[in-house]
Amino acid sequence: MSDSGSARSSRAQLQTLFRQHGGQLRLSEALARGYSRYQFYQLRDEGLIEPVSRGLYRLADLPPIENPDLVAAATRFPQAVLCLISALDWHCITTQIPHQVHLAVERDARLPVLDYPPVAGYRFSGRAFSEGIEQVDVDGITLNVYSPEKTLADCFKFRNRIGMDVVLEALELYRTRKTFRPGKLMEYARVCRVANVMAPYLEAKREMPVKVL
């Protein structure tokens, strides 16, 4: 086979590898399979693949990414968890527009830092980090995000930083848009050590006509 024919074959095989990985592939994964940086970047230069975040690429003919900021954060920090304002926004229980991607990491982990999108990192300890994590699919990437109830408990804990008005609005939107689960809310309130703070607000909400589990 001629050199040009061999190059075309390698390019086609690399594109097939992309498809086998759902259309997205890391450069490191391609290198581990025996492909060269030159072959990988040739696909990029020809417009056949496009960058998603550092080291991660996707086939250019895939549908547009709907949540590029979340995809970039999730691929760069796969162990982090979407939290606070960003998690409220994900669950549609805030009118706030996140200007940063809010991510929680374990107490001893390095805080996430990213030029774009801007990231705000928080250290959570023990069960306050590990409890209430949901895994969701975002444009083919697995994203860790705290449940609505865990997010509300976190927001009460960080109320001085994000504002009590934001917290109470989120609680009201949760009450009207989700199934109100006071038991689960108090469970996470105890985990986050804000049970005494949250209890009066939850009691007031329970007296309103909502569907309660």
Side-chain angles (χ1 to χ4, degrees):
M1 182 182 295
S2 66
D3 290 343
S4 61
S6 177
R8 285 195 298 272
S9 176
S10 296
R11 185 167 59 223
Q13 291 172 2
L14 185 51
Q15 287 177 282
T16 298
L17 184 62
F18 265 89
R19 295 189 180 92
Q20 290 172 346
H21 284 73
Q24 298 187 142
L25 187 69
R26 293 183 181 278
L27 171 59
S28 59
E29 293 172 328
L31 296 177
R33 297 295 186 94
Y35 295 95
S36 68
R37 290 178 183 270
Y38 172 78
Q39 292 170 320
F40 198 91
Y41 290 138
Q42 189 176 32
L43 291 185
R44 179 199 62 186
D45 295 341
E46 293 176 358
L48 297 175
I49 62 174
E50 59 187 11
V52 175
S53 64
R54 190 173 66 178
L56 179 68
Y57 290 76
R58 70 196 299 267
L59 292 172
D61 58 3
L62 292 177
I65 294 177
E66 295 183 6
N67 298 280
D69 289 356
L70 296 185
V71 168
T75 54
R76 183 68 180 84
F77 309 106
Q79 303 305 314
V81 187
L82 199 69
C83 66
L84 299 174
I85 301 296
S86 293
L88 292 179
D89 182 61
W90 174 263
H91 293 298
C92 300
I93 51 175
T94 186
T95 60
Q96 303 296 308
I97 299 175
H99 299 293
Q100 298 172 299
V101 180
H102 297 257
L103 295 174
V105 296
E106 292 189 88
R107 180 181 59 186
D108 297 329
R110 179 180 299 178
L111 285 174
V113 177
L114 201 60
D115 291 334
Y116 189 83
V119 169
Y122 303 83
R123 288 192 177 97
F124 287 14
S125 300
R127 293 180 62 204
F129 174 78
S130 61
E131 295 287 320
I133 298 175
E134 299 177 346
Q135 292 190 323
V136 297
D137 181 271
V138 179
D139 296 304
I141 297 295
T142 298
L143 172 71
N144 299 316
V145 56
Y146 286 119
S147 69
E149 294 79 16
K150 172 59 163 57
T151 298
L152 283 167
D154 289 333
C155 287
F156 269 93
K157 184 173 183 177
F158 286 86
R159 61 192 181 279
N160 292 333
R161 187 178 301 189
I162 67 177
M164 195 62 183
D165 55 333
V166 174
V167 178
L168 295 181
E169 179 202 51
L171 181 59
E172 176 60 18
L173 291 175
Y174 167 81
R175 186 188 73 86
T176 56
R177 295 179 179 179
K178 307 289 185 180
T179 298
F180 189 53
R181 307 173 70 189
K184 184 62 67 173
L185 285 165
M186 284 306 299
E187 175 186 333
Y188 290 125
R190 287 187 287 271
V191 168
C192 295
R193 300 180 181 179
V194 290
N196 290 339
V197 176
M198 285 185 65
Y201 294 100
L202 298 188
E203 187 62 31
K205 297 299 181 185
R206 289 185 68 165
E207 296 175 359
M208 299 179 182
V210 292
K211 180 182 178 182
V212 178
L213 285 184

